Amino acid sequence: MNPRDKFVIRSSILELAETGTPRNISIDDKLRNEHKEREIEKTINIWDSITALGAQLSRPPYDPYREIINLGISIGRKQCLNKVVLSMPLIIYDNAIKIEETSLESLHIALDRLAIDSNTNLGLISENEIKNRKFSHFKRINKKSAKVEDYDSEGLVLQYNDDKSLQFLTDIRREFNGPILVEIDDDFQKYIGPLLDTGADGVIADTIKITNNARYKGKHALRVIRDVRYAINQYYAGRENDGIVLMVAGDFNNTGRIVKSAALGADIIGYYTSLLIANAANHYEISSNIHTVPDRICRHILATKGELKGVPAALGYSDFYNLSPADLRTSSIETSLQADIAIEGIDKTYRQIIEELIDEYASEKGIEMNKEKKRELVVQLLTHR
Amino acid sequence: MCGICGIILKDHNNPNFSIGALLYQMMESQQVRAQDSAGIAIFNNINSHNNDLFYNLAYLMESPTEIGEYDLIEKKVSTTIPSNEQVQLISRLSEDNRVSIIGCEKEMKLVKNLGLVKDLDKKYNIKSMKGSHGIGHLRIATSSKVDPSNAHPFSTTVMPDIAVVHNGEISNYSKLRNLLENKGYPFYSNCDSEVIAVFLVDQLLKHGDIQRAHDEFIQKADGPFTYIAATNHSLSLIRDKFGTRKGIVGYNPGKNGYPAFWAMATDLSALDIVGANEYVKAASPGKSIIFTI
């Protein structure tokens, strides 16, 4: 969620608190009006125009089959000796924003409780040093430490800035045996190969940051996921994928978006909602205290876990990571174009429809067209539709 | 609700018995399960060409005059690994809408077509086919078109002499296919079952162990399935980890004038009809039963 949207929501809540009178316009409508003014409705609505295909719902139910749904994921490639195993595909992501001590404490208690009481190990990306924890911590670092002991976390996160980042990664890889995740920018296509060669165990694509940069201006988060996954697949073309993970972060604040992102190729979602709960509760609720806020975070995470198991089960999977783009359909041409999702009822992407149209036309008119020429024509028709 | 079956003779050294006749009976007894298409693959390492540098690329070509009529065509290839010439030929054939590529054969004979098993026999005389082991399939289409390219058994053009018949659904087909396509394996149909054959070939090329290949598939595949896979040295029956599709094995010690053999099928009626009703047992969920030569 961007700061302007947050402002609209907060000001609406405060307005209600101050006046005590019912609103004549809902917060959703207010946001929509705001988007219309800023002409960003098109990209925001892409999330809502995607549905999951329930093709396998036609099967008879198999109770034992449906009850076991795997959400667990291991982070770490072959070279990583101490892999981290998460119970569900979420890592609490601090968005590199400074979080207040009280909120962080509530969050840490919640993550500990989830690990101990509910056998649910989530990851947390944070710069802070966290002692005596039961959950997996991925420490954000930006300079090499003098001592190995300083890397007091299960995993590390570093930002790719330039070619020096590769040297930085090489140095750390030598000393650190846990998984190393690297945050990429909109130029990732240029360096993703060397980055994976150097030993990154996963890449983090912050879709908000990337879509704010020139190369992805006006494009949707889904396009970023699709492109990064494609780049990773290209890296592994003709070879076995040895376990690289793609983590996406940004505007993923509910189960629907988590599922849609996973289907498009994300392995792990950077989740900010738990931090928002902690922050909001500690800031705006007088009655909240250090014990009730973690409870609320735990309930939210466990509810999300239940929902995440429900979707693959309904689609006939026993493993969350078997979701694929083939499970998605869209009612919007824009969405089909951004993320190569098939259009409902036709079961073809918009690109495929255009390609077939060109083939038919060329064959009807007897026009010889090589692959390169056809590709150019497709791009032209899609761009100037 | 497809019907699958397989047979392997106990005495592998005398593969002059018409195993096709037994497969025909087993398939006919299960015909009630499926009527869209039928196919068999039979392995005969004595009557086949002993030259290592030889196999056939088999494909079905639609008749230019009669729509829906297909003929089996075999093109001789003189290498054990796909040569450039063969890759070019396959690439040219796969662009032709009238062609369905069905795989590479050396010791195996694979035929399949639309219609009932009796139609298949009429066209290819499957009852007279001799061999040491073989598999059969009757298809009712659930997820892809009714055409010869989507009929079973499935084979590949990457490795000769592997065939798979399948009953059920591979729900993560799309994911597995993408992974295998990314590795460079070609696919010639839109049927989820093809992914089993290609997956097994990928595993066999990696370590050559059929048991391990099946175990890997059980781990990676999602959905309800039972399949029978045949290579020139083995016949296997595999069920998914929840045992949601049937798969039974029985033994005929040499009754009714037949040589002794093991048989496997979806329905018990298929084992009964060929007298394979001793030591009858269902394959355990998540396990494979493998007979080797």
Side-chain angles (χ1 to χ4, degrees):
Chain A
M1 192 176 288
N2 61 55
R4 288 183 73 163
D5 285 356
K6 279 182 198 161
F7 174 76
V8 172
I9 294 169
R10 281 181 189 162
S11 64
S12 303
I13 294 168
L14 283 175
E15 190 188 320
L16 179 67
E18 279 171 13
T19 61
T21 51
R23 289 182 296 265
N24 57 4
I25 180 169
S26 71
I27 294 179
D28 277 356
D29 282 342
K30 256 190 175 180
L31 282 174
R32 257 179 229 124
N33 292 342
E34 168 78 5
H35 295 156
K36 267 181 196 162
E37 279 170 26
R38 289 154 52 203
E39 293 182 343
I40 59 167
E41 191 182 32
K42 196 168 68 174
T43 50
I44 294 289
N45 281 344
I46 279 181
W47 282 116
D48 300 333
S49 65
I50 301 171
T51 52
L53 178 74
Q56 286 88 350
L57 289 175
S58 60
R59 286 186 195 152
Y62 297 106
D63 289 339
Y65 177 68
R66 296 240 164 132
E67 280 163 11
I68 304 164
I69 306 293
N70 173 49
L71 290 181
I73 184 165
S74 167
I75 309 175
R77 287 163 76 190
K78 260 185 194 165
Q79 79 275 359
C80 175
L81 298 175
N82 301 331
K83 296 181 172 53
V84 168
V85 178
L86 301 180
S87 312
M88 56 194 287
L90 297 187
I91 289 185
I92 310 299
Y93 182 71
D94 66 1
N95 235 343
I97 292 169
K98 193 86 184 152
I99 307 290
E100 283 191 20
E101 277 297 313
T102 332
S103 302
L104 273 179
E105 202 181 338
S106 300
L107 184 68
H108 297 166
I109 294 172
L111 292 176
D112 266 348
R113 274 191 208 167
L114 282 165
I116 298 164
D117 301 339
S118 312
N119 204 17
T120 300
N121 181 33
L122 261 73
L124 170 71
I125 292 179
S126 159
E127 269 179 45
N128 307 57
E129 188 185 332
I130 309 164
K131 286 182 177 159
N132 303 323
R133 64 180 180 279
K134 303 290 176 200
F135 56 90
S136 303
H137 177 214
F138 288 76
K139 192 172 187 175
R140 201 189 288 277
I141 55 166
N142 47 30
K143 61 174 193 250
K144 193 174 171 297
S145 174
K147 289 182 278 178
V148 184
E149 299 82 60
D150 288 345
Y151 303 131
D152 57 345
S153 58
E154 285 70 35
L156 296 177
V157 170
L158 50 103
Q159 170 86 44
Y160 183 92
N161 296 317
D162 47 39
D163 289 350
K164 285 178 191 159
S165 305
L166 291 178
Q167 189 53 50
F168 183 36
L169 176 61
T170 310
D171 295 344
I172 293 175
R173 182 76 281 170
R174 270 193 222 117
E175 296 176 12
F176 187 69
N177 289 328
I180 302 174
L181 308 178
V182 180
E183 288 191 88
I184 53 174
D185 58 19
D186 61 326
D187 246 355
F188 63 89
Q189 271 150 345
K190 283 187 190 159
Y191 57 78
I192 200 154
L195 188 68
L196 300 183
D197 284 340
T198 313
D201 294 288
V203 291
I204 302 177
D206 186 328
T207 57
I208 292 180
K209 279 186 201 162
I210 290 177
T211 50
N212 278 335
N213 287 337
R215 205 176 293 273
Y216 277 87
K217 205 80 185 163
K219 288 176 184 161
H220 195 265
L222 294 174
R223 178 61 172 266
V224 178
I225 301 171
R226 191 205 70 155
D227 286 359
V228 181
R229 174 48 70 187
Y230 181 76
I232 293 172
N233 287 348
Q234 285 297 102
Y235 174 77
Y236 282 107
R239 292 187 290 151
E240 191 87 28
N241 185 328
D242 62 348
I244 181 104
V245 292
L246 165 59
M247 173 176 156
V248 296
D251 199 7
F252 305 95
N253 54 13
N254 60 51
T255 305
R257 291 187 183 186
I258 295 171
V259 168
K260 288 165 191 175
S261 316
L264 283 173
D267 299 302
I268 299 169
I269 313 298
Y271 203 54
Y272 190 57
T273 310
S274 303
L275 265 171
L276 282 179
I277 292 173
N279 241 359
N282 287 322
H283 271 282
Y284 303 111
E285 293 178 21
I286 301 156
S287 61
S288 69
N289 61 45
I290 200 79
H291 299 293
T292 55
V293 178
D295 277 349
R296 197 177 301 177
I297 295 171
C298 288
R299 281 202 301 274
H300 171 76
I301 290 290
L302 291 176
T304 306
K305 189 179 181 183
E307 287 170 356
L308 287 180
K309 285 187 171 186
V311 177
L315 288 168
Y317 296 127
S318 59
D319 192 319
F320 179 80
Y321 305 94
N322 281 331
L323 290 165
S324 79
D327 295 312
L328 302 180
R329 291 291 180 276
T330 179
S331 52
S332 135
I333 290 175
E334 180 64 28
T335 309
S336 181
L337 269 174
Q338 294 252 2
D340 269 349
I341 297 174
I343 295 174
E344 278 169 2
I346 305 169
D347 291 349
K348 287 174 190 166
T349 64
Y350 189 67
R351 176 182 288 272
Q352 283 170 331
I353 295 169
I354 295 294
E355 281 172 350
E356 282 179 14
L357 203 73
I358 292 172
D359 284 341
E360 271 175 36
Y361 185 79
S363 123
E364 202 178 288
K365 301 281 177 192
I367 303 168
E368 284 286 322
M369 198 179 288
N370 61 28
K371 275 185 185 168
E372 188 54 34
K373 208 170 176 182
K374 185 179 156 188
R375 203 181 60 82
E376 272 174 33
L377 190 57
V378 170
V379 171
Q380 208 167 17
L381 285 171
L382 294 179
T383 319
H384 303 290
R385 70 199 160 83
Chain B
M1 212 178 83
C2 300
I4 59 175
C5 57
I7 280 186
I8 185 163
L9 298 182
K10 200 179 170 197
D11 179 10
H12 316 300
N13 296 323
N14 181 24
N16 282 317
F17 175 72
S18 293
I19 203 169
L22 283 179
L23 279 173
Y24 179 87
Q25 287 184 62
M26 291 178 83
M27 288 167 78
E28 203 176 36
S29 77
Q30 297 183 102
Q31 188 76 74
V32 67
R33 296 181 62 88
Q35 302 83 25
D36 285 338
S37 62
I40 59 158
I42 288 179
F43 292 75
N44 187 334
N45 59 8
I46 287 187
N47 292 339
S48 71
H49 304 273
N50 291 322
N51 184 355
D52 277 346
L53 296 172
F54 177 81
Y55 65 76
N56 289 323
L57 169 69
Y59 59 92
L60 287 159
M61 171 74 92
E62 190 173 18
S63 155
T65 49
E66 278 189 76
I67 294 165
E69 266 297 304
Y70 290 85
D71 284 319
L72 183 68
I73 294 170
E74 288 163 308
K75 198 110 186 163
K76 287 173 189 171
V77 183
S78 57
T79 170
T80 49
I81 51 158
S83 62
N84 281 341
E85 194 188 348
Q86 191 199 354
V87 169
Q88 279 170 13
L89 175 67
I90 291 171
S91 156
R92 188 163 54 77
L93 289 173
S94 54
E95 281 170 17
D96 190 334
N97 291 334
R98 299 166 305 137
V99 171
S100 300
I101 295 173
I102 60 176
C104 291
E105 304 169 348
K106 194 166 159 243
E107 298 178 3
M108 172 181 81
K109 182 80 182 164
L110 193 158
V111 291
K112 56 184 180 179
N113 221 322
L114 304 182
L116 308 177
V117 63
K118 67 176 182 192
D119 301 326
L120 195 72
D121 181 51
K122 208 169 158 187
K123 189 149 189 160
Y124 302 109
N125 195 14
I126 59 172
K127 278 190 211 160
S128 67
M129 288 185 181
K130 296 176 171 59
S132 54
H133 57 298
I135 57 176
H137 187 268
L138 300 157
R139 177 172 189 246
I140 185 155
T142 50
S143 60
S144 51
K145 271 189 184 171
V146 179
D147 65 21
S149 70
N150 290 312
H152 300 224
F154 278 101
S155 187
T156 78
T157 51
V158 180
M159 181 191 264
D161 294 347
I162 181 160
V164 171
V165 288
H166 162 233
N167 172 33
E169 282 167 77
I170 310 297
S171 28
N172 62 338
Y173 153 71
S174 175
K175 189 107 182 175
L176 289 177
R177 177 170 172 158
N178 285 345
L179 284 173
L180 291 162
E181 277 184 326
N182 200 39
K183 281 184 173 181
Y185 290 102
F187 280 76
Y188 303 109
S189 79
N190 294 313
C191 185
D192 56 353
S193 315
E194 188 179 11
V195 85
I196 306 174
V198 180
F199 186 95
L200 294 180
V201 164
D202 177 50
Q203 291 291 316
L204 289 173
L205 288 174
K206 229 188 282 178
H207 48 68
D209 182 347
I210 191 75
Q211 170 83 61
R212 208 172 131 192
H214 291 317
D215 290 346
E216 279 288 320
F217 188 79
I218 292 166
Q219 282 309 312
K220 296 270 165 62
D222 212 337
F225 61 85
T226 294
Y227 70 86
I228 299 176
T231 66
N232 39 15
H233 299 298
S234 70
L235 182 75
S236 338
L237 173 70
I238 293 88
R239 288 178 82 196
D240 70 72
K241 44 195 166 200
F242 304 112
T244 46
R245 287 286 189 271
K246 291 192 285 181
I248 45 172
V249 178
Y251 179 62
N252 181 332
K255 291 184 294 189
N256 310 340
Y258 298 134
F261 64 85
W262 287 93
M264 45 186 70
T266 312
D267 285 345
L268 193 58
S269 63
L271 299 188
D272 272 341
I273 204 154
V274 292
N277 42 20
E278 290 193 17
Y279 307 112
V280 174
K281 66 166 190 170
S284 304
K287 300 279 182 206
S288 50
I289 296 178
I290 303 175
F291 297 95
T292 50
I293 292 179

